[in-house]
Amino acid sequence: MLLTAYIQWHYTRALTEMVSIGKTIVWFLYHFFSISILAKTLFAPFKRLDEKGGRRLQPDVLAVNIIMRVVGFTLRFLVLLLGLLFILLVVTGVVLVYLLWIAMPALLGALCIAPLLLFL
Amino acid sequence: MILREVYNTARFYQHAITLNRYIPRFLRTLVFLIASLLLTAIGITFLIDKFYRNILSDFYISLILSVGALLLVAWFLVLMASAFWNSFYFRVLGLSSKSTQARCTYELAEIILLGNENTYTHSFLSSEIGRKIFLRCGVEKDDIASFLAQYNSQIPLDMSVTVEGEPVVGVPEFVQALLVADTQLIQFLSRHEIQEKELLSATTWVMRGIQNKKRKSRFWSREQLGLVKGLAKNWSYGRAYTLEKFATTRREAPTLEEIKNVVRSEDVSRLEEVLARNRESNALLTGRYQEGLDEVVRKLSIKITSGRVLPELEHKQIFFLDGSLLLSSVKDKNDFETILSTILSETMYAGNIILAITHFPQFVSGAHEISSDVIELLDEYVRSGVIQFIATAETGIFHQVLEQDRRIRDHFEQIQVTSIDREGLMRELQTEALLLEKMYPVSFTIQSISAVIQSAERYFNAKTSLDAGLDLLNDVVGWVGQRGESLITDEHIYAVVEEKTGIKAGKVGDEERQQLMQLEKILHKRIVGQDEAIDAIAHALRRARSGIGNPNRPMGSFLFLGPTGVGKTEVAKTLAKTFFKSDDKLIRFDMSEYANEDALERLIGSFATGTSGILASMIREKPYGVLLLDEFEKAHSTVHNLFLQILDEGYFSDMRGERVNARNMIIVATSNEQADVIWDISSKNKKLSDHYDEIISSAIKNNVFRPELLNRFDGIILFHPISNANKEGIADKILREIQLRMKEKGITLVITDELRGVVANAHTDPKFGARAMNRFAQEKIEQVIADKIIQGEIKPGAIVELSEKDIQ
């Protein structure tokens, strides 16, 4: 009775819950690495640190502002890259676990038979 | 759903519950850990042998791999069993019941499946959760066992168990249905003095604790993962360095409890909506700081930090500007305006700051004193919407300073902050109690939490009920700790309240019962005669102590009418001594000093001059005691109006618009008005009570008191002139006081009938009452003794007996 209920759950609810957990982890990584805000402000000066210039072009002010934007871009880009990498890893992991889960009863059977085969 | 269907509903969880019964959670965890360790060890051994040293024979390798395979099977099985159980266990968390077929909670199913549908109460009381709930009500395991031993009820199963709007039945709804269906259970409750609502409240409390634990243990949920603070959140915003010198902000991540409280708060949601608007997105919060006005802003700050906020407010930060700090650190108007402009431009440039200014009217007035117009300075930023503002103001002072200003009216949305309701208060205090239970070896009963709420609302109005409640909870932990106890009941709370306020609360003990029943006798020890007055006061005190009096009015209020020197003031003093156990608990005002137009300002303070009022300060200093208003009829009519409100509501507002609470006071006003009428009636040997209406109508006709003022007193008590029968008694009392004072000097005064007669006969002019006797005792008896002490005739240890001749 319990076994039938389990098998039914294993191939229905368990699979949808797994997808939902996978989605939650991707959501978490997306927010943890601030992906949306970093992408929107990718080229903005780091922490809005910039110099205000006058009407005429001032090379030193321009240089500072360019540097702050470059610093901002580099740091943001690195974090973005790291975040996307993690998301990719998680998505791959979820797919693998999903497949493993489907094959689990067969895998368990194989693992139980394997010792016998080793000694035969 | 009806009670009968609950059993079928619970069967949804049957497999998970069965699994958990045979392989409980701790066993699964244990097997998982052991299998993990062994698998790691096998893996390492295999790898070392394979790639480093080939010392193991093929047989051993096969053996190790076989054991490894079987361990892996065990590992997977435990993992799968746990996943299966988790899937049911976390199914209904009170959050997402839509997506599930479950119609009751896991915990309820666990209780129900302990027995069958005829033994619901039995199953409930035998379950772990049932025991926990009853322990919260102060009922021990043994009492439950003896109740169950004789339990034989058959409960009607067609009772409805679903509460409106809740598609899923939980333990609280089930208990509610049991309370309707099971009379034997109700008898059990009443035997243990537990009210039904207390059992329900204890149930929700226990269940909330369990739900919280469940939520926390589900670390993979969005709720838990959302608590982790992310990376690089502030890289895209600037900093406001000058603002940081004058403002504070919340930097640490909030806890789950904080977030849950915030999510439910209505005021916070309204503030959030206003701030998230496209235009005019500034808020002005009015209310009382004592009722958590600032708390709303703080809660929004928590909500933003937790990330559960409208998208427009994501990544925003609320800074609390300290206006008084800013004003006190500037030299002059120019300095102030320069710093404020810097703050505003930095705030604008930072891009994610919401500026909260608390005590906004005071900030505006303070700046006004150095001729600066704060509202004008802010106006440009407010109108253009480049900075968002939250201003907070006490309602009273808001009306005085800001309400008329168009610039505020047009650009700030006013939000009236409401105080926390009882249910919210109960929830917060229960959460705090759970935290305290984790930190100290104590446990609170539900009755103790109810007592905390009652006491906080009744006796500690200077703070918010929540603050007072939290303080009380913390105090009681220390109090029981010192006494080596651990279960905190309502009696412990009342004991702490009595220690803090001097007011007896809680159940009336035997000794106190005796005292209360003999109050008249006790009062008569200090007052001679005046039986009607004493009766009325004793009744009022018993009413106050029994707790049936209106908690939203003063504990008692009396107007004493009668000639001078008949004991009106003495009764008030005796009241302080008897009820509050101290003469110090008497605040006395001679109201003839408050007869002019400035009287009200002197009593409640003046906003224009910034002076605080003497009545407001005195009551804040001594909120528990007797307020004696001598010669009340002479007070200015505005003062009478003030007391109209105090007598009716039990509070008034001072010049800053802050509430002063007089609900824990007994107010006694005395007046000589109508003394002539009273004298006339008494001299004809008529009973004063028969002429009560006549005396009161005469006072109204003479325009001394308005009828609405007289109506607001709990009692108007008429004092008789001193009768000849009472003269000797009063003389005796005066002499005993002298005797007591002399005893301290080591001299014994013998009170003879002769001496008593001499003092009593000094009462020659009845219109001066006992004052004549008092004066006589002072001028004659004390004087004679003083002379004799100085002449060396009386020395310490002497026994003095005075005759009429000595005194003459």
Side-chain angles (χ1 to χ4, degrees):
Chain A
M1 191 72 178
L2 178 60
L3 193 68
T4 334
Y6 177 80
I7 298 285
Q8 198 195 351
W9 172 83
H10 189 98
Y11 285 107
T12 51
R13 178 108 197 166
L15 293 175
T16 52
E17 279 186 11
M18 212 179 291
V19 172
S20 138
I21 291 171
K23 273 188 197 164
T24 308
I25 297 172
V26 170
W27 169 88
F28 164 68
L29 291 172
Y30 184 81
H31 284 274
F32 183 78
F33 289 99
S34 314
I35 288 178
S36 70
I37 190 166
L38 291 184
K40 271 187 220 159
T41 58
L42 192 59
F43 299 101
F46 184 64
K47 291 197 172 185
R48 296 200 176 190
L49 294 165
D50 60 356
E51 293 275 323
K52 296 273 175 295
R55 277 167 188 268
R56 279 185 307 137
L57 182 73
Q58 290 166 283
D60 49 342
V61 172
L62 186 69
V64 169
N65 288 348
I66 288 175
I67 290 170
M68 290 327 288
R69 277 174 197 271
V70 170
V71 170
F73 170 78
T74 317
L75 289 171
R76 285 191 192 99
F77 183 72
L78 285 175
V79 175
L80 263 179
L81 204 67
L82 200 67
L84 292 173
L85 196 72
F86 267 98
I87 290 177
L88 194 71
L89 275 175
V90 166
V91 172
T92 320
V94 168
V95 171
L96 284 177
V97 172
Y98 199 82
L99 294 175
L100 189 74
W101 187 263
I102 292 171
M104 188 60 82
L107 185 72
L108 287 182
L111 280 172
C112 288
I113 297 166
L116 295 175
L117 294 177
L118 279 171
F119 286 104
L120 283 176
Chain B
M1 191 191 303
I2 58 170
L3 210 44
R4 183 175 316 192
E5 289 170 7
V6 174
Y7 191 79
N8 290 332
T9 314
R11 287 167 69 95
F12 173 79
Y13 293 98
Q14 192 164 25
H15 298 303
I17 290 171
T18 313
L19 177 89
N20 197 46
R21 206 171 289 161
Y22 293 117
I23 320 169
R25 203 177 186 176
F26 81 90
L27 189 65
R28 294 199 299 269
T29 316
L30 191 72
V31 172
F32 180 80
L33 287 176
I34 293 173
S36 304
L37 274 175
L38 290 177
L39 276 170
T40 316
I42 286 173
I44 291 170
T45 318
F46 180 74
L47 287 176
I48 290 174
D49 186 72
K50 186 93 180 157
F51 298 109
Y52 186 56
R53 298 171 153 185
N54 264 323
I55 45 169
L56 292 174
S57 68
D58 283 352
F59 174 76
Y60 281 111
I61 291 286
S62 299
L63 189 67
I64 286 173
L65 286 179
S66 304
V67 172
L70 292 176
L71 278 173
L72 205 59
V73 170
W75 194 79
F76 275 130
L77 281 177
V78 163
L79 210 64
M80 286 153 71
S82 292
F84 179 66
W85 182 75
N86 281 345
S87 171
F88 286 88
Y89 180 65
F90 292 115
R91 193 68 62 98
V92 183
L93 271 175
L95 290 175
S96 56
S97 44
K98 282 177 208 153
S99 61
T100 170
Q101 308 137 306
R103 292 180 66 199
C104 74
T105 59
Y106 179 89
E107 289 73 22
L108 178 58
E110 226 174 14
I111 293 172
I112 299 277
L113 296 176
L114 268 179
N116 58 50
E117 55 191 297
N118 292 318
T119 57
Y120 282 150
T121 307
H122 209 287
S123 307
F124 171 56
L125 288 172
S126 327
S127 70
E128 182 70 30
I129 288 176
R131 275 202 296 274
K132 270 187 190 162
I133 291 171
F134 272 89
L135 198 62
R136 285 278 180 222
C137 297
V139 181
E140 303 277 347
K141 233 172 165 179
D142 297 344
D143 294 324
I144 296 177
S146 60
F147 168 67
L148 287 180
Q150 49 181 313
Y151 180 80
N152 56 5
S153 264
Q154 286 287 324
I155 53 176
L157 294 172
D158 49 359
M159 212 55 83
S160 168
V161 286
T162 314
V163 177
E164 230 174 279
E166 294 275 341
V168 177
V169 182
V171 181
E173 290 82 31
F174 174 70
V175 173
Q176 207 165 2
L178 284 187
L179 283 174
V180 181
D182 193 342
T183 44
Q184 217 177 336
L185 177 67
I186 292 170
Q187 283 164 6
F188 176 64
L189 292 182
S190 74
R191 253 205 317 283
H192 288 273
E193 294 179 25
I194 303 165
Q195 293 175 29
E196 289 180 22
K197 65 172 186 194
E198 283 173 341
L199 179 69
L200 285 173
S201 191
T203 309
T204 5
W205 186 13
V206 168
M207 291 320 295
R208 202 166 43 243
I210 291 173
Q211 298 281 24
N212 281 348
K213 235 183 188 169
K214 268 173 100 164
R215 280 198 170 93
K216 274 186 195 158
S217 66
R218 199 169 171 233
F219 60 88
W220 60 90
S221 68
R222 189 177 269 228
E223 191 177 33
Q224 287 292 321
L225 291 173
L227 292 178
V228 183
K229 241 189 152 186
L231 292 176
K233 296 277 179 217
N234 55 0
W235 286 4
S236 304
Y237 299 108
R239 274 182 73 175
Y241 295 96
T242 319
L243 174 65
E244 284 172 16
K245 281 190 214 160
F246 299 102
T248 51
T249 187
R250 189 192 168 92
R251 294 202 190 279
E252 75 273 27
T255 64
L256 194 60
E257 272 79 14
E258 280 176 327
I259 293 166
K260 274 206 306 275
N261 290 338
V262 168
V263 170
R264 287 197 201 95
S265 170
E266 234 172 75
D267 289 323
V268 178
S269 306
R270 276 170 62 205
L271 177 60
E272 189 185 340
E273 278 163 26
V274 170
L275 292 174
R277 291 197 305 220
N278 281 334
R279 50 191 299 278
E280 325 267 87
S281 50
N282 307 294
L284 174 73
L285 270 60
T286 56
R288 292 178 62 204
Y289 284 101
Q290 293 168 352
E291 283 176 359
L293 186 54
D294 276 354
E295 206 51 34
V296 177
V297 190
R298 230 162 264 132
K299 281 183 172 178
L300 179 65
S301 180
I302 292 172
K303 203 170 175 182
I304 293 175
T305 321
S306 75
R308 286 148 193 247
V309 78
L310 295 171
E312 290 82 355
L313 299 182
E314 250 184 333
H315 310 299
K316 295 258 178 186
Q317 258 187 307
I318 298 180
F319 273 79
F320 292 86
L321 179 67
D322 187 342
S324 53
L325 176 66
L326 175 57
L327 279 166
S328 62
S329 48
V330 294
K331 289 195 284 289
D332 51 23
K333 180 189 172 193
N334 276 345
D335 197 15
F336 172 72
E337 292 187 350
T338 313
I339 295 182
L340 188 61
S341 300
T342 316
I343 287 177
L344 292 172
S345 60
E346 278 181 8
T347 304
M348 178 186 74
Y349 195 65
N352 67 337
I353 293 175
I354 298 173
L355 200 56
I357 309 176
T358 55
H359 295 280
F360 189 55
Q362 284 88 336
F363 183 49
V364 171
S365 309
H368 191 69
E369 274 170 28
I370 52 169
S371 318
S372 184
D373 186 349
V374 168
I375 302 180
E376 191 59 43
L377 288 169
L378 301 183
D379 198 43
E380 187 194 329
Y381 297 92
V382 173
R383 269 189 298 116
S384 59
V386 286
I387 304 180
Q388 286 188 286
F389 292 92
I390 304 172
T392 65
E394 189 90 24
T395 312
I397 196 164
F398 161 74
H399 291 310
Q400 287 166 354
V401 179
L402 297 177
E403 200 176 27
Q404 303 307 321
D405 202 310
R406 249 200 97 118
R407 294 167 297 182
I408 296 288
R409 263 203 330 264
D410 290 352
H411 301 297
F412 281 81
E413 175 85 24
Q414 197 193 334
I415 298 175
Q416 178 73 39
V417 174
T418 47
S419 59
I420 188 168
D421 62 356
R422 267 218 161 191
E423 209 180 304
L425 193 57
M426 180 59 106
R427 208 167 40 226
E428 300 261 358
L429 292 177
Q430 287 176 349
T431 310
E432 177 74 7
L434 289 177
L435 284 177
L436 288 170
E437 285 177 357
K438 261 189 211 166
M439 287 157 66
Y440 305 98
V442 291
S443 99
F444 289 87
T445 60
I446 189 73
Q447 291 92 337
S448 69
I449 306 288
S450 304
V452 166
I453 293 179
Q454 266 174 23
S455 309
E457 286 176 344
R458 184 78 184 93
Y459 306 117
F460 301 98
N461 288 58
K463 301 177 196 169
T464 63
S465 302
L466 179 59
D467 275 350
L470 294 175
D471 285 353
L472 209 49
L473 278 185
N474 283 280
D475 289 345
V476 78
V477 170
W479 195 89
V480 296
Q482 284 168 1
R483 284 156 185 81
E485 295 177 46
S486 62
L487 188 69
I488 297 173
T489 64
D490 48 349
E491 287 306 314
H492 291 117
I493 304 290
Y494 292 131
V496 174
V497 170
E498 192 189 337
E499 223 172 70
K500 286 178 109 172
T501 65
I503 299 177
K504 274 201 179 289
K507 281 185 200 150
V508 180
D510 283 343
E511 194 186 327
E512 199 195 351
R513 186 174 298 122
Q514 290 293 323
Q515 213 182 17
L516 279 170
M517 294 322 291
Q518 297 179 353
L519 253 183
E520 285 87 343
K521 233 188 217 172
I522 297 168
L523 290 170
H524 267 310
K525 278 187 190 159
R526 283 178 69 156
I527 316 287
V528 180
Q530 309 298 2
D531 296 348
E532 287 168 35
I534 299 254
D535 283 353
I537 288 157
H539 289 157
L541 290 188
R542 282 195 282 262
R543 219 166 37 234
R545 181 64 187 88
S546 69
I548 57 164
N550 184 349
N552 298 326
R553 297 189 61 187
M555 286 168 92
S557 57
F558 304 100
L559 175 64
F560 292 174
L561 288 180
T564 185
V566 295
K568 299 190 297 287
T569 307
E570 191 61 26
V571 170
K573 285 183 185 168
T574 312
L575 210 53
K577 177 84 181 164
T578 319
F579 200 72
F580 297 98
K581 305 275 179 259
S582 163
D583 287 331
D584 287 352
K585 301 276 183 178
L586 183 85
I587 304 176
R588 186 174 181 172
F589 281 90
D590 185 349
M591 298 312 278
S592 61
E593 291 173 17
Y594 300 91
N596 300 328
E597 297 224 324
D598 64 345
L600 188 68
E601 267 192 15
R602 284 167 54 212
L603 287 172
I604 68 166
S606 157
F607 180 71
T609 59
T611 47
S612 52
I614 184 156
L615 180 67
S617 319
M618 294 282 258
I619 295 184
R620 282 212 176 97
E621 204 178 301
K622 291 181 187 172
Y624 315 98
V626 174
L627 176 64
L628 174 61
L629 310 164
D630 268 338
E631 302 198 65
F632 189 57
E633 79 282 6
K634 291 185 181 152
H636 195 262
S637 60
T638 51
V639 177
H640 283 180
N641 287 342
L642 170 72
F643 277 95
L644 267 180
Q645 189 198 345
I646 299 178
L647 295 176
D648 207 25
E649 310 273 349
Y651 73 86
F652 62 96
S653 299
D654 71 355
M655 51 101 175
R656 285 191 297 270
E658 284 174 17
R659 251 186 207 203
V660 183
N661 172 37
R663 288 177 181 169
N664 298 309
M665 310 215 79
I666 297 176
I667 299 176
V668 176
T670 72
S671 168
N672 296 337
E673 188 53 36
Q674 302 305 303
D676 293 341
V677 183
I678 291 175
W679 178 250
D680 281 347
I681 296 167
S682 300
S683 59
K684 289 173 195 159
N685 280 335
K686 288 180 186 167
K687 271 184 95 178
L688 276 184
S689 51
D690 295 342
H691 295 269
Y692 181 86
D693 291 342
E694 186 189 321
I695 295 166
I696 304 297
S697 327
S698 163
I700 294 170
K701 216 183 280 168
N702 294 348
N703 281 332
V704 185
F705 297 116
R706 284 181 291 148
E708 59 267 36
L709 180 62
L710 292 180
N711 278 337
R712 278 175 170 77
F713 283 102
D714 290 344
I716 300 173
I717 292 160
L718 304 176
F719 278 66
H720 298 269
I722 292 173
S723 66
N724 285 336
N726 290 332
K727 266 173 23 183
E728 291 238 336
I730 295 169
D732 186 66
K733 190 180 154 268
I734 292 171
L735 286 169
R736 287 202 185 280
E737 277 167 20
I738 298 176
Q739 190 184 42
L740 202 71
R741 283 204 297 277
M742 288 181 64
K743 206 175 175 186
E744 284 167 17
K745 303 263 171 225
I747 300 164
T748 311
L749 174 71
V750 181
I751 303 171
T752 58
D753 287 346
E754 187 189 356
L755 187 63
R756 206 177 287 125
V758 173
V759 177
N761 287 331
H763 177 243
T764 46
D765 186 351
K767 287 195 175 167
F768 287 104
R771 293 234 165 80
M773 284 193 244
N774 246 329
R775 204 172 310 121
F776 178 82
Q778 235 173 39
E779 286 173 4
K780 302 286 180 179
I781 299 172
E782 285 183 15
Q783 191 59 49
V784 169
I785 296 168
D787 289 346
K788 287 189 182 230
I789 291 175
I790 289 172
Q791 284 160 12
E793 286 176 36
I794 299 177
K795 290 193 172 123
I799 297 173
V800 182
E801 197 175 319
L802 295 174
S803 66
E804 192 173 353
K805 210 175 109 199
D806 291 327
I807 296 161
Q808 300 306 328

